[in-house]
Amino acid sequence: MNLQEKNIYCGFRLDKISHISEISSNAYEFYHEKSGAKLLFIENNDDNKVFSITFRTTPTDDTGVAHIVEHSTLCGSRKFPTKEPFVELVKGSLNTFLNAMTFPDKTMYPIASRNEKDFRNLMDVYLDAVFYPNMRTTPEILMQEGWHYEIDNVDAPLAYSGVVYNEMKGALSSPDGLLERKILNNLYPDTTYQYESGGDPVAIPDLTQEMFIDFHSRYYHPANSYIYLYGDMDMMSTLSFLDEEYLSNFNKIEIDSHIDVQKPFTARKLIKDIYPIAPGEAKENKTFLSMNYSIATSLEKEKMLAFTVLEHALLKSEAAPLRNALIKAGLGSDVISSFDNGILQPMFSIIVNGSEADKVDEFTKVVTDTLNDIVKNGIDDELLQASINSMEFKLREADFGQYPKGLIYNINLMNSWLYDGDATMYLHYEEALKTVKQWAKEGKFEALIQEYLLDNTHSHILILEPDENVITKQEKDLADKLAQKKASMSKEDIEKIIADTQKLKERQRSVDKPEDLEKIPLLKIEDITKQCDKLIIAEDEIADTKVLRHDIDTNGICYLRMLFDISNIAYEDINYLFLLEEFIGRTATKNYTYEALANAVNLHTGGMRFAVATYDKEGDVDSYMPKFVFKAKVLVDKMPELIKLLQEIIFNSSFTSKERIKDLAMQCRSDFEMSILRSGHQLVLDELMAYFTPKERYDNFGDLKFYAFIKNFLNDFDNEFNKMQTAFAKILPMIFNKANLLTSITVSKNDYEKVISAIKPLLEVLPNETYSKQEIPFAVEKKNEGFITSSQVQYVAKGANFIRLGYKYTGAMKVLETIMRYEYLWTNIRVLGGAYGAFVKFRRDGNMYFGSYRDPNLVETLNVYDKTAEFLRNFNVSDREMTKYIIGTISNIDMPLTPALKGELASSAYIAEMTDEMRQQQRDEILATTQEDIRALADLVDACMKENAICVLGGSNKVNEAKDVFKTVTIIL
């Protein structure tokens, strides 16, 4: 289409056309003259189309109004008056992404779909939601999504509840989450960044309906919007839709959403704060020491790229001199870093975890002395080039896993567009990359360190210490506040709250009118492809080893996986496999120091790592196939260098440095402890599944069992170090053995022979010994564990193995997952219970589970799980609703995959003996699922729930109150 700048198209003035060679796209920047909306269209041949509308939302308090509005806009609107159109879309669209996100200074509403009709439907619902939400006239929406008083009778104590209220109680229970918030708030104390956009649970109940509506009125206007379109679509039709259906209804107005620039500090500040730990939890060596800097502005692209490189070079690489200096100084168990350029004034943070407050002076001295030394003597050139290469590889690869490319591009470009800069600045990276490479030659990186880290007074040191009294005090303060509030109320006031609470629950339990549900646009079953995508796989044999080849266009990159069978490793040595996973490739070798090895890896590859992974055979509940997996991505022309490095690591790694091994073990323990509160739901699910099958029991050696192992390893280090030496000497030749090897290669067909040629030298020198399989002892064991942490919310899991109970897997279970997650569990655990989320999974190995996320309840949630069978036996919906559930299920299955993920899926299916025919059978069963099929699963769910196998992680009060449901209760840290 031949468009001309300054012309008007469908009410939009075309201000600029540009080509973005880096992503093979054309960019069109529009301005809607009537409403003042800004629009950027990134045109290319990507069929995974993306739309988003973003508003610059600048909070002026800690009530979390931006976050609560984000939740609430999707709870019904003018054209789509159902209680939760968002849920209806999740259940019944072919979306490849559907969500909304609150940032410190913006709120984004993105969607993606590969289906043209579906894409337009999703746009329609989202635009109506943000511009005409029912939240403005329905107070129960703020009550549900934000906060409300909860009371059942006049004698009961007053309480708070609400989805965001409970979500943020969970988010701010995590010490790293709290640290991130404190760093931001204290670095920009005179700007909007001083406030918690997500909401502080202490302040959330200050939000009134009037404030809520005012915030929406103030910011949710097209003149404050940034509309983004990406992919292969009809531009004129889309612009016409936006203009006629929405934007033409608004007149341009002036909106004050600007973000003030923080005046630089005249001197570095010292700030002390506390974070909660569980009563009885050890607090030694759990302090965070952080040095934090404001760095230029996000509109200075070259500096932003340079600091991305600097963070990697100074703090993230195994060769990073600042990281290693801090570790060697014995200041803590791990070093963490962060460079956040997603705000107007980006932040650079150097953080030591596992420290003590009295080490802050030494911390400051080590950072300053090390940086001064780097400036004086220069950054090691190989390290700097390796870090630049690492960043460049990521830019060119543009592999974002299951997230649509267009979505990530949208998030990145907001780093300039939101602040009135060039909208496409961050998509054009070639020139900036050249500049950064030139800076490396000119000593500019050292100058940046001097200017922004050594001489920068806009900085603070934040000490965050653990305090076991925080939770008790917070709970007492809250109880006192609510008691005083209730005491100040008249009987009529209390009765009104009871009535309001009842009215809310009636609305939450009510069923949408069929005519309202039918307003949500819906595809037909005929719109769904009947055939599942075929696995891209062929078998080959090279040097007497099996190779799986996945001929996929990878743009010159090879994704290599080498899977070594480790079923020959004895039960008593399994812990050492997971220890080896943490250490191998991160220690010195015969020909490299560990720093030089890290540089070589970053210089020649896009990354490489080792991991233990366990597979099982399709339909065999007692099978387990553990593998020690090497994964790497590399430009095809660099394959020989990759293989040389791998050969060096396999045959020449040294594990004899006590100092290095101890440092790595401490980092490992720290990483695990940090992940517990971030991913509490995953921890309880992994622990629960280990009750039922040997595969999961094997995997559990890398979960809580490994945490116990690594703690003991450090507590009795000298003795355990010697044991490790013996174990590694025993298992290394048993792992890296040609007889054990299966290789998976994902690469373009034309590059396959180059890859094989590079791999052959390694295959020719690998030993070829046969070892017998070692059985691990396993018996089904319901441990029913309760784990106590500092969390103010719970993660509640319950499940069983239905194959062991005599049932078989069917595709209808995938549809049941959709029904449960977005109907029964959504209503009873999220909407009525106030949890942030709830989910269910039925796996082909027979393991099934229910789980909740950031849940204020425990026993009540278990009761909801137990009543599932009753819900299923009475399941009765319209044919239209059933169609919706099927479409939503297929949407989840048909998520587009990157070349790397396609290869990984195919090789995993090969190992599990999962054929295309089996995958097609599941798809056929999904498409044919009836309500009778769903009702027929009630007995299976009932039998699973009657097994009473549970695992919970949560706060001490809730876990101890429910102690009768547990066999053991443990303080996890």
Side-chain angles (χ1 to χ4, degrees):
M1 186 179 297
N2 186 24
L3 302 183
Q4 300 295 319
E5 292 182 358
K6 306 308 176 186
N7 283 358
I8 307 296
Y9 302 95
C10 306
F12 288 88
R13 184 181 73 230
L14 178 55
D15 287 336
K16 184 180 178 181
I17 304 174
S18 60
H19 180 67
I20 307 174
S21 59
E22 290 86 341
I23 60 171
S24 302
S25 302
N26 292 318
Y28 301 85
E29 298 177 45
F30 290 96
Y31 178 80
H32 191 259
E33 295 205 310
K34 186 172 187 295
S35 70
K38 296 169 283 292
L39 184 146
L40 174 65
F41 178 36
I42 305 296
E43 180 186 48
N44 52 50
N45 61 6
D46 192 342
D47 71 341
N48 196 12
K49 295 171 280 291
V50 176
F51 157 83
S52 84
I53 183 164
T54 299
F55 300 93
R56 189 159 64 190
T57 49
T58 49
T60 56
D61 56 41
D62 288 323
T63 61
V65 59
H67 188 189
I68 298 168
V69 168
E70 174 236 299
H71 277 240
S72 301
T73 55
L74 295 166
C75 292
S77 65
R78 173 194 62 172
K79 288 168 65 175
F80 310 106
T82 61
K83 289 183 298 181
E84 301 195 75
F86 172 77
V87 177
E88 300 306 316
L89 292 175
V90 174
K91 288 191 290 189
S93 74
L94 290 175
N95 75 85
T96 55
F97 187 86
L98 190 75
N99 213 329
M101 297 171 282
T102 303
F103 296 83
D105 55 14
K106 59 184 173 287
T107 309
M108 294 183 70
Y109 294 86
I111 60 98
S113 179
R114 301 172 77 180
N115 181 286
E116 186 75 46
K117 181 179 175 184
D118 188 52
F119 182 71
R120 178 62 60 85
N121 292 345
L122 295 171
M123 282 179 60
D124 197 13
V125 175
Y126 262 49
L127 286 164
D128 204 66
V130 297
F131 289 129
Y132 303 103
N134 287 348
M135 54 164 266
R136 299 180 60 88
T137 55
T138 310
E140 290 80 13
I141 292 175
L142 170 59
M143 293 173 67
Q144 172 180 297
E145 296 300 319
W147 77 277
H148 64 275
Y149 288 117
E150 184 92 14
I151 188 169
D152 295 324
N153 60 72
V154 292
D155 298 320
L158 206 58
Y160 292 134
S161 190
V163 173
V164 170
Y165 178 78
N166 290 315
E167 177 190 350
M168 295 310 295
K169 283 177 74 175
L172 297 181
S173 292
S174 168
D176 54 333
L178 191 59
L179 177 68
E180 182 182 353
R181 173 200 171 185
K182 298 285 186 182
I183 290 171
L184 175 66
N185 299 161
N186 286 290
L187 205 53
Y188 307 106
D190 303 317
T191 75
T192 190
Y193 299 125
Q194 71 181 287
Y195 303 110
E196 175 52 55
S197 63
D200 185 329
V202 174
I204 287 173
D206 294 335
L207 181 65
T208 66
Q209 179 73 14
E210 291 73 26
M211 294 162 63
F212 182 56
I213 295 171
D214 178 67
F215 190 90
H216 182 269
S217 299
R218 196 182 332 152
Y219 296 121
Y220 280 63
H221 186 282
N224 190 44
S225 72
Y226 302 78
I227 300 172
Y228 171 85
L229 295 164
Y230 168 93
D232 183 8
M233 70 186 78
D234 186 325
M235 186 193 305
M236 287 301 110
S237 171
T238 305
L239 293 180
S240 175
F241 165 76
L242 288 166
D243 172 59
E244 294 175 10
E245 293 295 322
Y246 291 99
L247 299 182
S248 62
N249 299 329
F250 295 86
N251 293 316
K252 180 170 54 178
I253 60 173
E254 290 295 323
I255 295 176
D256 182 8
S257 64
H258 80 281
I259 300 167
D260 291 325
V261 173
Q262 175 66 46
K263 184 179 178 181
F265 303 159
T266 56
R268 177 184 292 153
K269 296 182 179 182
L270 176 64
I271 300 160
K272 295 182 180 181
D273 216 318
I274 56 177
Y275 73 90
I277 57 173
E281 181 181 329
K283 62 180 180 179
E284 292 74 20
N285 300 316
K286 287 189 177 176
T287 293
F288 292 84
L289 304 176
S290 64
M291 195 173 293
N292 312 288
Y293 307 85
S294 179
I295 306 292
T297 75
S298 63
L299 298 177
E300 298 173 80
K301 179 174 63 173
E302 289 81 4
K303 288 182 182 177
M304 298 302 100
L305 287 180
F307 266 93
T308 301
V309 172
L310 266 179
E311 185 199 5
H312 186 272
L314 295 177
L315 291 153
K316 286 196 174 297
S317 167
E318 296 292 344
L322 181 52
R323 174 190 177 88
N324 291 336
L326 289 164
I327 291 291
K328 287 174 181 175
L331 292 169
S333 58
D334 197 9
V335 175
I336 310 164
S337 65
S338 172
F339 176 58
D340 179 5
N341 68 326
I343 54 177
L344 176 59
Q345 294 173 273
M347 303 185 303
F348 188 91
S349 295
I350 303 162
I351 304 163
V352 171
N353 182 18
S355 190
E356 296 289 356
D358 60 10
K359 294 182 178 180
V360 67
D361 290 340
E362 188 181 357
F363 167 62
T364 306
K365 186 176 187 303
V366 171
V367 171
T368 303
D369 288 353
T370 305
L371 293 178
N372 272 318
D373 185 67
I374 290 170
V375 170
K376 179 181 177 182
N377 298 308
I379 303 174
D380 178 81
D381 184 61
E382 192 171 68
L383 169 63
L384 194 55
Q385 294 303 323
S387 294
I388 292 172
N389 180 74
S390 180
M391 180 187 69
E392 183 175 1
F393 192 99
K394 289 175 183 175
L395 285 171
R396 298 195 189 288
E397 181 190 26
D399 185 338
F400 308 112
Q402 292 195 358
Y403 290 105
K405 281 185 182 182
L407 170 66
I408 305 303
Y409 293 149
N410 183 197
I411 293 171
N412 290 342
L413 65 83
M414 293 309 300
N415 295 345
S416 58
W417 197 19
L418 191 78
Y419 311 119
D420 306 319
D422 180 353
T424 62
M425 177 192 297
Y426 280 97
L427 301 181
H428 292 283
Y429 59 78
E430 289 290 1
E431 284 303 315
L433 197 54
K434 286 181 183 177
T435 299
V436 167
K437 288 178 179 179
Q438 187 62 34
W439 284 1
K441 298 176 183 177
E442 298 172 349
K444 179 71 172 178
F445 279 90
E446 290 81 359
L448 290 172
I449 292 173
Q450 186 72 51
E451 179 181 359
Y452 288 103
L453 301 184
L454 288 169
D455 297 340
N456 187 1
T457 57
H458 193 170
S459 166
H460 67 61
I461 295 171
L462 175 63
I463 303 170
L464 195 65
E465 296 181 86
D467 189 328
E468 65 177 347
N469 298 314
V470 172
I471 298 172
T472 303
K473 185 178 185 303
Q474 286 177 343
E475 290 174 345
K476 183 181 184 303
D477 289 347
L478 179 59
D480 290 346
K481 179 181 178 180
L482 288 168
Q484 290 170 12
K485 181 67 178 177
K486 187 183 178 187
S488 70
M489 293 177 176
S490 66
K491 183 180 178 182
E492 290 74 19
D493 291 335
I494 295 173
E495 287 176 346
K496 183 179 186 306
I497 290 175
I498 293 172
D500 289 344
T501 303
Q502 186 59 35
K503 184 179 178 183
L504 170 63
K505 293 192 181 300
E506 286 173 2
R507 182 180 188 274
Q508 291 170 330
R509 292 191 180 99
S510 66
V511 177
D512 286 311
K513 297 175 184 177
E515 59 267 30
D516 287 341
L517 286 169
E518 288 174 8
K519 292 174 182 175
I520 302 286
L522 183 67
L523 300 176
K524 299 177 182 178
I525 293 291
E526 297 77 55
D527 294 322
I528 298 174
T529 303
K530 300 298 184 293
Q531 297 296 315
C532 70
D533 292 335
K534 301 293 184 184
L535 297 173
I536 303 172
I537 189 168
E539 293 184 54
D540 203 349
E541 190 167 301
I542 308 296
D544 299 322
T545 66
K546 181 157 287 184
V547 174
L548 305 178
R549 60 183 291 182
H550 316 287
D551 295 333
I552 301 170
D553 183 13
T554 58
N555 199 26
I557 296 171
C558 173
Y559 297 96
L560 175 67
R561 297 174 79 224
M562 302 183 82
L563 302 97
F564 296 89
D565 179 64
I566 48 176
S567 59
N568 53 7
I569 304 300
Y571 179 76
E572 60 268 20
D573 291 325
I574 294 175
N575 277 319
Y576 291 103
L577 290 168
F578 288 93
L579 196 66
L580 182 65
E581 172 188 317
E582 297 292 334
F583 295 169
I584 192 167
R586 302 175 68 191
T587 64
T589 67
K590 180 181 177 181
N591 298 301
Y592 291 87
T593 64
Y594 71 83
E595 296 97 336
L597 180 64
N599 285 340
V601 169
N602 288 320
L603 198 57
H604 296 298
T605 81
M608 51 196 280
R609 63 183 294 262
F610 295 84
V612 177
T614 315
Y615 302 83
D616 54 8
K617 286 188 179 179
E618 173 64 21
D620 185 349
V621 72
D622 288 313
S623 68
Y624 66 99
M625 295 175 285
K627 310 283 183 184
F628 200 79
V629 183
F630 169 73
K631 296 175 64 172
K633 49 189 177 182
V634 62
L635 293 172
V636 170
D637 290 342
K638 288 279 192 176
M639 273 297 300
E641 285 84 355
L642 170 69
I643 296 302
K644 287 175 186 174
L645 288 168
L646 176 58
Q647 194 165 329
E648 177 73 14
I649 291 168
I650 288 176
F651 294 112
N652 294 326
S653 284
S654 170
F655 303 100
T656 57
S657 169
K658 279 192 172 185
E659 181 184 21
R660 180 60 177 164
I661 293 298
K662 190 169 188 177
D663 288 346
L664 290 173
M666 289 173 67
Q667 292 172 37
C668 175
R669 181 185 64 188
S670 176
D671 287 345
F672 196 97
E673 290 173 349
M674 295 283 281
S675 73
I676 286 173
L677 289 179
R678 281 200 305 260
S679 307
H681 62 301
Q682 194 59 55
L683 184 145
V684 295
L685 293 176
D686 291 344
E687 194 71 11
L688 179 71
M689 293 298 97
Y691 300 173
F692 309 130
T693 59
K695 173 199 176 296
E696 296 297 334
R697 178 68 57 85
Y698 202 105
D699 282 339
N700 192 238
F701 275 92
D703 297 320
L704 277 180
K705 279 190 175 184
F706 185 65
Y707 178 52
F709 177 80
I710 201 71
K711 284 198 297 183
N712 181 65
F713 185 86
L714 286 165
N715 290 339
D716 188 17
F717 182 71
D718 288 340
N719 185 41
E720 291 297 326
F721 180 81
N722 292 332
K723 287 183 181 179
M724 180 202 75
Q725 297 289 320
T726 303
F728 280 10
K730 175 183 174 184
I731 66 175
L732 276 164
M734 298 175 71
I735 297 170
F736 297 114
N737 192 312
K738 194 157 66 172
N740 301 349
L741 177 61
L742 174 69
T743 301
S744 168
I745 298 170
T746 304
V747 75
S748 304
K749 187 175 182 179
N750 293 340
D751 289 327
Y752 178 70
E753 289 303 325
K754 288 183 187 175
V755 172
I756 290 299
S757 177
I759 291 175
K760 276 183 178 179
L762 172 62
L763 298 180
E764 289 167 357
V765 297
L766 278 174
N768 193 14
E769 299 290 334
T770 302
Y771 297 90
S772 59
K773 180 176 179 178
Q774 302 289 311
E775 295 293 337
I776 67 165
F778 173 77
V780 174
E781 180 185 8
K782 292 176 284 187
K783 293 184 179 181
N784 288 18
E785 299 153 296
F787 298 110
I788 292 175
T789 70
S790 60
S791 178
Q792 298 182 61
V793 289
Q794 282 62 244
Y795 304 88
V796 183
K798 184 171 185 179
N801 187 282
F802 57 81
I803 290 178
R804 294 197 185 281
L805 298 175
Y807 297 91
K808 294 182 179 179
Y809 178 85
T810 73
M813 291 176 179
K814 301 300 293 183
V815 181
L816 179 56
E817 288 176 6
T818 305
I819 294 169
M820 292 296 297
R821 184 165 189 173
Y822 297 110
E823 185 63 48
Y824 179 73
L825 295 180
W826 182 277
T827 300
N828 289 285
I829 292 179
R830 190 184 194 276
V831 174
L832 289 166
Y836 184 59
F839 43 87
V840 60
K841 188 76 173 178
F842 295 86
R843 300 192 334 194
R844 300 185 73 103
D845 63 1
N847 282 345
M848 67 79 58
Y849 56 76
F850 292 112
S852 68
Y853 183 75
R854 292 180 179 168
D855 187 347
N857 301 309
L858 196 162
V859 172
E860 299 86 345
T861 296
L862 292 172
N863 290 336
V864 171
Y865 298 159
D866 289 342
K867 293 177 182 176
T868 302
E870 179 184 345
F871 164 78
L872 294 178
R873 290 190 178 103
N874 296 303
F875 182 73
N876 184 21
V877 296
S878 67
D879 290 343
R880 186 179 189 275
E881 286 299 293
M882 200 63 209
T883 297
K884 189 185 296 180
Y885 290 127
I886 291 171
I887 291 172
T889 303
I890 291 293
S891 170
N892 195 46
I893 289 174
D894 284 357
M895 286 290 180
L897 301 177
T898 63
L901 288 174
K902 287 178 181 178
E904 195 160 331
L905 173 66
S907 59
S908 297
Y910 177 88
I911 295 167
E913 299 179 10
M914 161 77 76
T915 64
D916 280 333
E917 290 73 24
M918 292 174 181
R919 296 171 66 248
Q920 184 62 50
Q921 179 184 347
Q922 174 183 266
R923 191 179 188 89
D924 293 343
E925 289 171 351
I926 290 169
L927 292 171
T929 297
T930 65
Q931 296 188 56
E932 289 73 21
D933 294 327
I934 298 301
R935 289 191 286 268
L937 291 170
D939 288 347
L940 179 152
V941 173
D942 195 24
C944 288
M945 291 301 97
K946 285 178 178 175
E947 289 292 291
N948 282 320
I950 65 170
C951 186
V952 174
L953 182 146
S956 58
N957 284 352
K958 285 290 184 180
V959 173
N960 284 323
E961 284 172 9
K963 62 183 178 182
D964 290 345
V965 304
F966 303 113
K967 291 182 180 178
T968 60
V969 173
T970 309
I971 296 174
I972 198 168
L973 292 173

